Amino acid sequence: MTGGLESYNRFALPQRTSLAIRVLGTYGGSAPGYRMTTFLIDGETALDAGSLTETLPFGAQRRVRRVVLTHAHFDHFASLPFLVANLVGRESAPLEVAAPEPVLFALRKHVFNDVTWPDFTRLPSPARPTLRFRPMSEGRPFRAGSVTLTPVPVSHLIPGYGYIVAKPGRSVVFSGDTAPTERLWQAARRVRNLKAIFLEVSFSDTQAEAARESKHMTPRLVAKELAKMPPKVPVYLYHMKPPSLARIRREIAALREPRLKLLESERSFRF
Ligand SMILES: [Zn+2]
Ligand SMILES: [Zn+2]
């Protein structure tokens, strides 16, 4: 009986050869209807964790095997402490939190430190913890179930990374939070079968100074970055600060650049 059910489920799953990306949160701030940055890859790997617990029911939360982080700013991990608390006692392996060491260091020191939140790498017991940190190396593909993720340093206030997400025959690039940057685009130009680029745009051009100080993009900067990217690939813009959205939308439309698409709400991609 159980075997029959399992094989039924296996056939019901989406084709493993495609790359499924659910955009659960696309904003760089929080307000009703504006969820913070979270992408779910093949249902089991979250890239950033701004809004995992408010978008996924418990069953889907339990299927998340790992959270990969671009950097340790709050809007990118806000739901992680609550996800971990919901997973205490899960039968399967601990939730992996993966990122280059500077990001993990910040989470250990400032979040899961037994002050701000319990140290779930030792709970409910050190032998069977709920959470496990997995350091990634810059520029090295990291195996994450159905895909590999390669972190590439970008240009933000604190150590931050873009990611090249790949499986055979298809790849996508995520910028993470960044000001104008170089290495990520160098790496992206070498990627084969690149299907999409997800790029941040946080502020309006009227807030250029705020963008410069906080190391983020505006539509005008995005237009300049386009020239460094591989040609023809669609560019999905995310991480808008909610109060800036209306202006950003007008400024992006005024660029009349068909490759640019503003990601304003939850959406599923299959590449
Ligand atoms: Zn952010
Ligand atoms: Zn940030």
Side-chain angles (χ1 to χ4, degrees):
M1 188 70 185
T2 311
L5 192 61
E6 271 174 15
S7 25
Y8 170 79
N9 281 342
R10 200 171 316 128
F11 286 117
L13 284 172
Q15 283 277 317
R16 277 291 158 186
T17 49
S18 66
L19 177 58
I21 293 175
R22 264 183 79 190
V23 184
L24 298 177
T26 81
Y27 289 93
S30 174
Y34 299 89
R35 287 179 168 141
M36 293 191 289
T37 303
T38 309
F39 299 94
L40 189 62
I41 300 165
D42 286 349
E44 61 173 27
T45 299
L47 182 58
D48 282 341
S51 55
L52 279 171
T53 48
E54 64 219 80
T55 52
L56 297 181
F58 285 131
Q61 289 181 27
R62 281 192 289 270
R63 286 193 289 277
V64 176
R65 301 179 65 90
R66 66 192 67 76
V67 172
V68 176
L69 294 174
T70 57
H71 65 304
H73 272 157
F74 209 98
D75 52 316
H76 298 261
F77 71 81
S79 68
L80 180 61
F82 307 113
L83 176 70
V84 173
N86 286 346
L87 296 182
V88 171
R90 177 170 71 165
E91 294 287 307
S92 51
L95 180 77
E96 293 178 352
V97 171
E101 190 54 45
V103 181
L104 300 185
F105 174 81
L107 286 179
R108 277 194 211 98
K109 183 166 197 281
H110 301 296
V111 183
F112 297 96
N113 56 7
D114 280 333
V115 178
T116 310
W117 204 244
D119 176 6
F120 281 98
T121 64
R122 306 175 55 78
L123 290 172
S125 72
R128 301 203 54 173
T130 312
L131 172 65
R132 190 157 79 100
F133 289 113
R134 291 201 57 194
M136 301 165 89
S137 304
E138 285 180 13
R140 284 262 196 81
F142 175 90
R143 177 105 210 147
S146 53
V147 298
T148 61
L149 294 107
T150 306
V152 181
V154 289
S155 312
H156 198 36
L157 284 178
I158 58 171
Y161 302 85
Y163 283 93
I164 297 163
V165 178
K167 63 169 37 172
R170 60 217 74 215
S171 308
V172 296
V173 168
F174 293 89
S175 72
D177 284 12
T178 186
T181 196
E182 303 299 331
R183 282 178 64 179
L184 185 65
W185 306 137
Q186 283 167 14
R189 289 195 299 268
R190 290 198 300 266
V191 171
R192 302 175 82 185
N193 302 307
L194 186 61
K195 305 295 182 194
I197 292 169
F198 293 83
L199 173 64
E200 80 120 283
V201 61
S202 299
F203 291 108
S204 151
D205 286 322
T206 61
Q207 301 165 295
E209 194 179 340
R212 197 165 43 242
E213 292 299 316
S214 58
K215 295 209 158 197
H216 282 297
M217 299 283 188
T218 69
R220 199 171 292 151
L221 296 174
V222 164
K224 285 190 190 159
E225 292 300 281
L226 267 185
K228 308 179 201 169
M229 296 178 202
K232 294 185 188 152
V233 181
V235 178
Y236 297 96
L237 300 171
Y238 72 99
H239 197 270
M240 296 73 76
K241 299 288 178 186
S244 309
L245 177 62
R247 277 177 188 273
I248 292 174
R249 190 191 295 124
R250 284 198 296 275
E251 290 164 359
I252 293 292
L255 291 173
R256 298 189 179 284
E257 170 52 69
R259 288 173 68 188
L260 296 178
K261 299 165 206 309
L262 204 57
L263 265 182
E264 291 196 41
S265 56
E266 184 170 329
R267 196 177 152 180
S268 293
F269 293 90
R270 190 169 288 284
F271 296 109

